[in-house]
């Protein structure tokens, strides 16, 4: 009877569910993945010719050890989401009871955005994920209240997930004791502090100049007579930004001494393969390949640790900082109280990181930073390509700074002399933030925003919806976009005016709570360095894509599947028009 009732009510959606469930492979259960399905074909292949993966958001699937069935069993979605904790004096969140495949997950018509809009944009709502009740939380205050219960009322089992397989069991990601996590965070934070990162700026600058020269400027010097005009001087932005980020990884984060082009190319290939491992199913052939590559990286890091300990001092690399960091080196100036609420500092000044902790946290830093940094930078170039006036302002700002301070970059220049460039970066992170966020599970019933989340329910937070629902963000003439449209609402200048600046409590591009990204200073420094060098080297460029002005740009972009940050499938093609 239940099967008939649901099939009748959700006939067309259920048909889509049946088709897609045969196409995609399961990805890590630890994540409520924002899968970008814009380029998926129903013939079983994706835009690159590979096999598509099945989404984890199949809430009506019954799972067991022998088979996967699309048969709807037990209670309906509405019934699952109505099981309140009667001992808690608060209502359940608004429930989204429609089929989760009613929109493109993670893309312009994503499930989360569709559900939020259908429920009239609440800051908290529930849905069903694999027959389990889930709650999505947005709003800066709500997210912080939720995540600050990380080690008490929330289970961290799901937080580790596939990253435990990919990175290891001794990282910040897998720490489940709040005191131990605080100690790890303090020690890992030593080489990521502002002073330590500032010392690396000359290296960042050299890396960015080298990659831009090789992969961008050289394109304009190459004889492309055999290519059609539409393909001349075209560069894939994410190829450049990812190569730069991986160079930062081996040169600065790991401090490796790779001499030949073959060594560097091998590292890039191996590291890229490993980075995609977080999207592989545990036990799959792809995951086995990921673990083989992991051994390659682990061996390199272990050899580096041995060299550092033999030398008896750090070489300025991030791994060098991790090896010799002690609790006495921890700088608590500017410490975010939200991240450490109720957690006492470790007073053992001699506490250091073990070799395993250095290895696993180095891997975690690579995992957390490389894809996010490279994808965000590609998005910046895309958005500035859509807004040539913004690009011109960035170029003019760089010219003015060079005229006063010369070419070399310093921490002071990056921090104080690039207000417009920083506004562009913030605006990009506001509109296209990280969307891959780990889920938790409640150990006891809790109340968020006046609603109860019963014990045993899954819970996650949504950065995009948090930014979207910030009332101060809405300057768009199109009320339905609520300030997140790539054309009308990309307005870096909003950050330069206190009256239009988004509320910082609702601006969480790097997360919040105890597990907030520890490498914010490193990421921002790396991105600002790249953008400043790019703007000094490339005077003008344009997007190498045909744009139909009669359609929203969001709908013309085929979004990449399985990526921490939403990015176009083609990696953002740009055509270099003139260089300095």
């Amino acid at each position: 009877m239940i099967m008939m009732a649901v099939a009748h009510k959700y006939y067309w959606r259920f048909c889509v569910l049946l088709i897609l469930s045969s196409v995609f492979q399961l990805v890590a259960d630890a994540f409520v993945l924002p899968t970008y399905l814009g380029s998926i074909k129903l013939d079983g292949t994706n835009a690159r010719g590979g096999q598509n993966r099945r989404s984890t958001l199949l809430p009506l699937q019954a799972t067991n050890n022998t088979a996967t069935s699309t048969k709807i069993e037990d209670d309906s979605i509405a019934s699952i989401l109505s099981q309140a904790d009667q001992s808690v004096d608060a209502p359940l969140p608004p429930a989204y009871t429609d089929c989760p495949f009613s929109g493109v997950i993670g893309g312009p018509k994503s499930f989360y955005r569709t559900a939020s809009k259908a429920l009239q944009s609440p800051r908290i709502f529930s849905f069903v994920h694999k027959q389990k009740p889930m709650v999505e939380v947005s709003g800066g205050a709500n997210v912080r209240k939720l995540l600050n219960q990380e080690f008490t009322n929330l289970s961290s089992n799901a937080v580790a997930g596939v990253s435990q397989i990919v990175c290891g069991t001794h990282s910040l990601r897998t720490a489940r004791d709040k005191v131990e996590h605080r100690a790890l965070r303090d020690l890992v934070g030593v080489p990521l502090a502002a002073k330590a990162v500032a010392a690396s700026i000359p290296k960042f600058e050299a890396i960015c100049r080298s990659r831009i020269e090789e992969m961008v400027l050289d394109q304009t010097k190459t004889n492309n007579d055999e290519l059609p005009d539409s393909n001349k001087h075209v560069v894939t932005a994410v190829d450049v930004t990812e190569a730069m980020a991986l160079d930062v990884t081996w040169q600065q984060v790991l401090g490796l001494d790779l001499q030949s082009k073959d060594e560097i190319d091998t590292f890039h290939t191996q590291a890229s393969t490993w980075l995609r491992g977080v999207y592989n199913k545990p036990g799959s052939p792809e995951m086995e390949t990921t673990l083989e590559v992991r051994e390659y990286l682990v061996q390199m890091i272990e050899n580096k640790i041995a060299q550092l300990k033999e030398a008896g001092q750090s070489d300025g690399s991030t791994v060098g900082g991790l090896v010799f960091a002690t609790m006495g080196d921890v700088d608590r100036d500017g410490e975010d109280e939200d991240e450490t609420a109720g957690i006492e500092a470790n007073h053992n000044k001699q506490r250091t990181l073990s070799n395993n902790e250095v290895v696993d946290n180095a891997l975690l830093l690579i995992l957390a930073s490389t894809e996010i940094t490279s994808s965000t930078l590609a998005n910046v170039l895309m958005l500035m390509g859509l807004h040539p006036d913004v690009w011109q302002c960035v170029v003019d700002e760089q010219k003015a700074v060079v005229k006063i301070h010369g070419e070399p970059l310093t921490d002071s220049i990056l921090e104080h002399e690039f207000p417009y460039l920083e506004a562009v970066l913030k605006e990009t992170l506001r509109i296209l933030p990280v969307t891959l966020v780990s889920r938790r599970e409640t150990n006891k019933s809790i109340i968020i925003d006046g609603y109860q989340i019963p014990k045993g329910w899954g819970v996650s937070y949504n950065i995009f919806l948090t930014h979207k629902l910030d009332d101060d963000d809405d300057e768009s003439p199109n009320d339905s976009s609520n300030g997140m449209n790539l054309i009308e609402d990309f307005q870096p200048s909003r950050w330069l005016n206190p009256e239009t600046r988004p509320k910082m409590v609702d601006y969480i591009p790097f997360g919040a709570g105890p597990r907030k990204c520890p490498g914010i200073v490193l990421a921002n420094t790396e991105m600002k360095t790249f953008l400043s060098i790019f703007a000094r080297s490339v005077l003008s460029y344009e997007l190498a894509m045909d744009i139909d002005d009669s359609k929203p740009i969001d709908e013309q972009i085929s979004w990449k599947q399985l990526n921490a940050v939403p990015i176009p499938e083609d990696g953002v093609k740009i055509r270099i028009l003139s260089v300095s």
Side-chain angles (χ1 to χ4, degrees), residues 129-169:
H129 169 211
K130 296 177 67 175
Q131 293 190 316
K132 181 181 178 65
M134 289 287 298
V135 171
E136 195 76 0
V137 175
S138 61
N142 291 337
V143 169
R144 288 178 174 85
K145 183 176 181 180
L146 173 72
L147 297 182
N148 284 336
Q149 301 179 62
E150 180 74 50
F151 300 103
T152 53
N153 298 330
L154 297 180
S155 168
S156 61
N157 293 342
V159 172
V162 174
S163 63
Q164 179 170 316
I165 301 175
V166 175
C167 293
T169 59

Side-chain angles (χ1 to χ4, degrees), residues 205-224:
E205 185 175 357
I207 291 171
C208 292
R209 287 187 185 281
S210 175
R211 277 300 172 185
I212 291 172
E213 175 71 29
E214 174 189 347
M215 301 181 72
V216 179
L217 302 187
D218 284 355
Q219 288 290 322
T220 65
K221 303 172 185 177
T222 302
N223 187 344
N224 286 321

Side-chain angles (χ1 to χ4, degrees), residues 501-522:
R501 186 180 302 146
K503 293 178 294 187
M504 296 310 293
V505 68
D506 283 329
Y507 181 67
I508 53 171
F510 296 98
R515 297 190 190 274
K516 181 178 180 180
C517 175
I520 297 174
V521 174
L522 175 64

Side-chain angles (χ1 to χ4, degrees), residues 420-434:
Y420 194 78
L421 184 148
E422 183 168 354
V424 169
L425 185 55
K426 285 182 176 179
E427 184 72 344
T428 302
L429 288 167
R430 183 185 72 83
I431 291 180
L432 293 171
V434 173

Side-chain angles (χ1 to χ4, degrees), residues 200-410:
S200 304
I201 291 175
K203 184 175 290 186
F204 293 161
E205 185 175 357
I207 291 171
C208 292
R209 287 187 185 281
S210 175
R211 277 300 172 185
I212 291 172
E213 175 71 29
E214 174 189 347
M215 301 181 72
V216 179
L217 302 187
D218 284 355
Q219 288 290 322
T220 65
K221 303 172 185 177
T222 302
N223 187 344
N224 286 321
D225 290 342
E226 71 281 4
L227 296 176
D229 289 343
S230 60
N231 290 342
K232 288 182 178 179
H233 311 319
V234 172
V235 176
T236 301
V238 79
D239 288 348
V240 181
T241 58
E242 184 177 276
M244 178 277 298
L246 289 173
D247 283 344
V248 169
T249 293
W250 72 261
Q251 292 187 49
Q252 174 55 38
V253 177
L254 302 184
L256 301 179
D257 183 23
L258 305 181
Q259 295 292 328
S260 69
K261 184 178 185 301
D262 285 345
E263 286 182 303
I264 296 171
D265 289 345
T266 297
F267 177 86
H268 278 230
T269 300
Q270 297 284 68
S272 295
T273 300
W274 174 79
L275 285 166
R276 301 306 296 174
V278 72
Y279 305 110
N280 294 330
K281 178 183 176 182
S284 66
E286 293 82 3
M287 181 57 78
E288 292 303 314
T289 299
T290 297
L291 295 180
E292 291 174 4
V293 174
R294 182 182 187 277
E295 289 306 308
Y296 162 86
L297 295 173
V298 168
Q299 188 62 56
M300 283 192 157
I301 299 171
E302 288 179 340
N303 290 343
K304 181 65 180 182
I305 293 172
Q307 294 169 11
L308 288 165
K309 290 190 172 180
E310 183 177 354
Q313 62 182 4
S314 174
D315 61 350
S317 67
T318 305
V319 167
L322 295 176
V323 169
F324 294 102
T326 68
M327 297 303 293
D329 299 323
V330 176
D331 182 3
R332 302 197 184 283
D333 289 343
E335 187 174 75
D336 189 336
E337 293 182 1
D338 284 341
E339 300 170 25
T340 57
I343 306 176
E344 293 184 5
N346 189 313
H347 297 292
N348 178 7
K349 299 300 183 182
Q350 301 308 309
R351 166 72 158 92
T352 60
L353 295 171
S354 68
N355 283 8
N356 286 335
E357 288 172 337
V358 171
V359 169
D360 289 359
N361 281 291
L363 291 175
L364 179 63
L365 290 175
I366 299 170
L367 179 66
S369 64
T370 305
E371 182 182 295
I372 293 173
T373 297
S374 60
S375 295
T376 298
L377 285 171
N379 281 339
V380 172
L381 296 180
M382 174 186 68
L383 288 166
M384 290 193 296
L386 292 171
H387 299 268
D389 57 323
V390 171
W391 169 246
Q392 190 59 52
C393 287
V394 171
V395 171
D396 291 345
E397 182 179 66
Q398 292 301 314
K399 289 179 178 178
V401 170
V402 169
K403 185 175 182 179
I404 297 173
H405 299 284
E407 289 286 346
L409 294 172
T410 66

